[in-house]
Amino acid sequence: MKTTKIVSTGACVPEQIITNDDLAKIVDTSDEWIVQRTGIRQRRISGGENTSVLAIGTARMVLERAQVEPKDVDLIIVASVTPDYGTPSLACMVQKEIGAENAVAFDVVAACSGFMFGLSVADKYIKTGLYRNAIVIGAETLSKIINWEDRATCVLFGDGAGGAYVEASEDSGIMQEDLGSKGELWEILTEGYTSPANAFNDVKPGVAPDYYVNMDGRSVFKFATKMVVKSVNRVLEQAGVTPEEIAFVVPHQANVRIIDVVAHKSGIPREKFYTNMDHYGNTSSASIPMALNELNSKGLIKRGDKVILTGFGGGMTWGTMLITW
C-alpha cells in the first residue's frame, strides 16, 4: 500500500527570546502566573523577521536533511494565519527563494490545525500518484497580530516555523487520519479582521480591535479537551491500534493543562506527550512540526515507532494523524 512517509523535519525560529519576566515589564503579569496557567516560560519573538523568512529557513533545512535538490520538489504547502501578504502565498515565496522551480505551491489556512490539514492535502496528492513528494510547513509571526496590552493573550503566543519533507513510500508513513471543522464556534477564536471599507460606503478604514487575537479561553479549553480526545480515540479505533502501542504523541502546544486532560481522557500515558511550549509558547500552525522536529532531532523517534500528531485551532478545526515512523 502506498503511504506518505516523513523523510526529514526542520524548524526555524527568531533569535530573540522573550521571557515571562520580560512580559511582566509591559503588562500586569508574572512568571508564576503564566507558568501555572499555561506551562510557558519563554517564547521566540520576531526581531524583524517576517513569516516568509522562517518558512524559507525551514524549507532549506528539510531539503538539506533529506538530501533532495530543490528542482526535484513537486509540491510546497505552507499553513499560516500570519502571512507576509494577502498574496502572494508564502509557498510561492518559499518556492522562489529555495529554487524549487518545478513545484506547485500554495497556502492553507486552518489556524493551529494548519500543518495537519496541509499534511493531509500532501498525503492525498502523493497517494493518488499525481506528485511524488512535498514540503509541508507551518509558519507564523503571531507577534504582529497580538495586542501587547492584553495580558490574557500576549503571554500565550510565539513566532516560529516547522515543517517536513515527505514522499511516497511502500512501508511506513501516514496510516490513519481524522480531520474536522465546527464552524458554528468560529467566534470563540478570531484574528486578522479587515473592514469592508471602500470609496462607496461609510465604513471606516483602519485597524479594528478584531484585527488582534481575540479568544474565549474557557470555550477553547472546553472544545479542545473534548474534540482532541474524540479525534485521537477515533484514529486509534479505526487503525486497530491500542494506546500502549503509541511511542509518542505530538500535540499542539497551546496549554499544558489541555495536554494533561487529553492524556488522562485518552488513556495514553502523559509521559508519551512531547511538549516544548515552555520554550516556544503557542506558535499556532508551527507548533506541531516544531515539536516533531525537536523530537526527531534528539533521536527519540525510531523507525517503526507509532506516533500520533494531533491539534486544534480556530474555525474551530481539529486534526489527528497516526504515523508509522
Side-chain angles (χ1 to χ4, degrees):
M1 179 182 70
K2 183 183 290 186
T3 62
T4 301
K5 176 181 179 179
I6 294 178
V7 177
S8 68
T9 61
C12 183
V13 297
E15 291 186 5
Q16 181 170 240
I17 298 172
I18 300 298
T19 67
N20 292 343
D21 289 333
D22 292 328
L23 288 178
K25 297 175 183 177
I26 63 172
V27 291
D28 182 17
T29 191
S30 69
D31 177 67
E32 181 183 14
W33 189 91
I34 298 170
V35 172
Q36 285 184 350
R37 287 162 178 78
T38 69
I40 299 168
R41 297 182 181 277
Q42 63 183 45
R43 70 285 296 147
R44 298 299 182 100
I45 297 296
S46 171
E49 311 96 325
N50 214 332
T51 312
S52 60
V53 174
L54 307 178
I56 292 162
T58 299
R60 285 175 172 154
M61 182 179 289
V62 300
L63 286 184
E64 180 180 350
R65 289 178 171 178
Q67 297 183 328
V68 172
E69 293 296 322
K71 65 181 177 58
D72 294 326
V73 176
D74 290 345
L75 178 64
I76 302 171
I77 301 175
V78 180
S80 183
V81 295
T82 55
D84 295 21
Y85 299 95
T87 191
S89 67
L90 286 167
C92 283
M93 298 174 78
V94 169
Q95 180 198 31
K96 172 185 180 288
E97 293 302 322
I98 68 173
E101 59 191 49
N102 298 310
V104 174
F106 58 87
D107 289 359
V108 298
V109 180
C112 305
S113 306
F115 180 75
M116 305 305 299
F117 278 59
L119 195 55
S120 177
V121 172
D123 176 54
K124 304 309 173 295
Y125 274 123
I126 289 172
K127 282 181 177 175
T128 60
L130 187 60
Y131 301 128
R132 301 162 300 167
N133 58 58
I135 296 172
V136 183
I137 296 169
E140 307 285 5
T141 47
L142 294 164
S143 58
K144 65 186 180 183
I145 58 166
I146 296 300
N147 179 354
W148 290 98
E149 296 179 354
D150 177 15
R151 74 167 189 165
T153 57
C154 75
V155 303
L156 301 175
F157 299 99
D159 301 335
Y165 171 80
V166 300
E167 65 183 21
S169 172
E170 297 294 336
D171 53 6
S172 61
I174 299 170
M175 310 308 293
Q176 193 71 48
E177 72 168 40
D178 177 67
L179 304 181
S181 306
K182 200 171 181 66
E184 60 264 38
L185 296 178
W186 71 265
E187 291 178 296
I188 69 175
L189 179 54
T190 63
E191 63 85 7
Y193 178 79
T194 54
S195 72
N198 62 53
F200 301 97
N201 66 35
D202 296 326
V203 178
K204 293 182 179 180
V207 177
D210 285 346
Y211 175 80
Y212 299 109
V213 172
N214 283 273
M215 181 172 65
D216 179 343
R218 183 170 297 180
S219 295
V220 171
F221 184 94
K222 182 179 178 180
F223 171 84
T225 53
K226 180 179 180 180
M227 291 309 306
V228 172
V229 172
K230 283 187 175 181
S231 186
V232 169
N233 289 341
R234 201 151 41 218
V235 163
L236 289 175
E237 182 180 352
Q238 291 171 351
V241 173
T242 66
E244 291 74 23
E245 295 178 76
I246 300 302
F248 288 101
V249 178
V250 183
H252 170 43
Q253 308 288 306
N255 184 307
V256 70
R257 291 181 174 181
I258 291 175
I259 293 174
D260 289 343
V261 172
V262 170
H264 175 72
K265 289 185 175 181
S266 68
I268 301 174
R270 176 63 175 83
E271 58 267 24
K272 291 186 176 182
F273 284 72
Y274 189 81
T275 61
N276 64 357
M277 70 185 70
D278 56 329
H279 284 87
Y280 299 107
N282 180 344
T283 54
S284 188
S285 67
S287 79
I288 292 175
M290 282 174 60
L292 180 64
N293 175 66
E294 192 170 281
L295 188 64
N296 187 30
S297 297
K298 290 179 178 179
L300 297 176
I301 316 177
K302 299 176 177 60
R303 287 299 172 188
D305 280 351
K306 290 181 172 58
V307 179
I308 285 181
L309 312 180
T310 186
F312 64 93
M316 297 293 286
T317 60
W318 69 89
T320 301
M321 284 184 175
L322 172 66
I323 296 173
T324 300
W325 198 260

